[in-house]
Amino acid sequence: MSNAVIRKTLISLAVAGAATLAQADVVIGVAGPHTGAYAAFGEQLWKGAEKAAMDINAAGGINGEMIKLVKADDACEPKQAVSIANRLVDSDDALAVVGHFCSSSSIPASKIYEEAGVIMVTPASTNPTLTDQGLPNVFRVCGRDDQQGDVAASYIVDKLNAKRVAVIHDKDTYGKGLADAMKATLNSYGVKEVMYEGLTRGEKDFNALITKIRSVDADVVYFGGLHSEAGPLVRQLREQGSKAIFISGDGIVSDEFVSVAGSPEYVDGVLMTFGAPPTSYPSGKKVIQEFRDSGYEPEGYTLYSYTAMQVAVAALANNNLDPIKGAEWLKSHSIDTVMGKKDFDDKGDLTVSDYVMYEWDGQGKYNVVE
């Protein structure tokens, strides 16, 4: 008998006795890049999940049982993601996981959670492959790259009327997947990219790449990747005199984008796709104010992580702490969250996507493009 089958059997036995036996804390993992170049996103995930767990515990927990969070650091490395996923299910006995952040981590980890009968709700992984695998336990409270790629391509063609688009990606599952999705829609509009090239995560010197971009006279540079490379890339573009409009996706939705760019002046005018402002939902007003009162601005994926926790908890609370039944239950029930009602299709994707275009300004802030 496999470890996964044994675990599912043990979960069933625990659930069967839940009505008469005192239960231990309900363990929920928070998996993401808590260290390394992408730790700013890990902090967003942790802050959101931590606040949600505190609020839920203060209200009585999950059917009277308290939530215990376990921080699991994958550093956005697939092999490390697999390792910590195994730890969460084998050592920590997690019933649910909020995470991961990077799609390249979420995809391999999701298979481990499925085998173990653990609910996985990612606040941020947008690559379509994650839910297209057909795993019954996997959900996301964000959109998909094929959706935000469509929004970006439509904006490039309809609003910018751009004809010379350079498409750059970071060769990672998320970055390349997003760039490819945008490119596919761009091509469907009859616009052929003038350049398509990858860079390597961790690179800081993009002079050779920028020379190529300038040589094709690009009027738009679209980048699929994260802030750690986007910041230096846009700075060096500006330093070398390029006036091309820089557009990226939700991988740069962090104040760290400004920091790694070196100055707000370099991000001025940068466009990015991201979901409708998470702070705009009336249902999240109280939580947002509490964050701000504590001195923390719930930027980026903070409220997505809070929402993911609410989704996972609703599944467990309404199914006697049975994650397998809870996963099935989520596909036919609406969940009230700090970001409004959430409904999921049979794949675990949201039934409604809300990507919009944002623009960074010279003060290092971003706002929806009207």
Side-chain angles (χ1 to χ4, degrees):
M1 183 180 292
S2 70
N3 289 337
V5 172
I6 292 172
R7 177 180 166 80
K8 288 182 178 179
T9 301
L10 290 174
I11 288 174
S12 297
L13 290 172
V15 168
T20 57
L21 297 177
Q23 301 297 299
D25 291 337
V26 178
V27 178
I28 298 179
V30 182
H34 299 298
T35 62
Y38 314 113
F41 290 117
E43 181 183 31
Q44 292 174 13
L45 265 59
W46 180 256
K47 288 283 191 180
E50 181 184 45
K51 172 65 172 164
M54 289 173 59
D55 291 346
I56 293 166
N57 282 342
I62 304 177
N63 301 339
E65 307 301 331
M66 296 296 102
I67 297 170
K68 176 185 175 183
L69 293 186
V70 175
K71 184 180 288 188
D73 179 24
D74 66 17
C76 272
E77 293 290 343
K79 290 182 179 179
Q80 192 164 324
V82 168
S83 177
I84 66 162
N86 280 310
R87 189 203 81 197
L88 284 170
V89 302
D90 293 335
S91 300
D92 298 315
D93 292 324
L95 293 184
V97 173
V98 170
H100 297 224
F101 177 77
C102 288
S103 294
S104 55
S105 293
S106 287
I107 292 169
S110 66
K111 299 177 178 67
I112 293 165
Y113 301 136
E114 192 277 330
E115 290 175 357
V118 171
I119 293 176
M120 171 185 174
V121 187
T122 175
S125 293
T126 52
N127 189 277
T129 300
L130 177 62
T131 47
D132 285 351
Q133 297 175 106
L135 302 182
N137 63 310
V138 177
F139 300 84
R140 58 174 141 217
V141 295
C142 55
R144 295 164 51 110
D145 287 335
D146 44 6
Q147 295 166 336
Q148 69 168 321
D150 284 351
V151 171
S154 296
Y155 192 90
I156 289 170
V157 173
D158 297 335
K159 301 294 185 181
L160 301 179
N161 196 30
K163 303 297 183 185
R164 305 187 62 78
V165 182
V167 181
I168 313 298
H169 61 82
D170 66 359
K171 304 177 186 176
D172 185 73
T173 303
Y174 162 72
K176 186 175 184 299
L178 177 58
D180 287 349
M182 191 288 300
K183 184 170 77 72
T185 303
L186 188 73
N187 294 164
S188 74
Y189 286 132
V191 178
K192 172 69 175 175
E193 69 279 2
V194 295
M195 178 179 173
Y196 177 80
E197 191 159 330
L199 54 80
T200 301
R201 279 189 173 184
E203 277 189 75
K204 300 300 179 187
D205 184 353
F206 301 115
N207 284 320
L209 178 63
I210 292 169
T211 297
K212 292 182 180 180
I213 292 172
R214 295 187 68 192
S215 72
V216 298
D217 194 26
D219 48 17
V220 167
V221 174
Y222 184 85
F223 176 64
L226 300 178
H227 69 277
S228 46
E229 286 71 44
L233 177 58
V234 72
R235 182 186 72 242
Q236 291 169 44
L237 276 166
R238 300 300 178 243
E239 288 175 341
Q240 293 195 29
S242 172
K243 302 296 185 184
I245 296 171
F246 191 91
I247 306 178
S248 192
D250 50 6
I252 67 170
V253 62
S254 166
D255 289 343
E256 285 290 309
F257 175 50
V258 182
S259 299
V260 296
S263 171
E265 67 179 295
Y266 293 118
V267 305
D268 190 16
V270 168
L271 298 169
M272 69 176 182
T273 46
F274 187 48
T279 56
S280 67
Y281 295 89
S283 56
K285 186 176 180 180
K286 179 175 181 290
V287 169
I288 293 164
Q289 190 58 53
E290 289 173 350
F291 267 124
R292 289 171 175 166
D293 288 345
S294 73
Y296 179 77
E297 179 61 30
E299 68 160 338
Y301 285 100
T302 304
L303 295 177
Y304 281 83
S305 185
Y306 194 112
T307 295
M309 181 68 72
Q310 290 178 298
V311 169
V313 166
L316 295 173
N318 286 281
N319 293 276
N320 206 20
L321 298 181
D322 186 332
I324 299 171
K325 290 182 179 178
E328 184 62 30
W329 179 88
L330 282 175
K331 294 171 183 175
S332 59
H333 291 80
S334 295
I335 312 300
D336 291 319
T337 78
V338 292
M339 292 177 60
K341 283 189 178 295
K342 300 300 177 187
D343 293 276
F344 300 94
D345 63 19
D346 288 341
K347 288 184 177 181
D349 287 320
L350 292 174
T351 57
V352 177
S353 172
D354 61 356
Y355 283 110
V356 295
M357 189 66 74
Y358 291 77
E359 182 174 9
W360 288 82
D361 62 28
Q363 309 304 312
K365 305 297 181 183
Y366 55 87
N367 295 285
V368 174
V369 177
E370 299 298 337

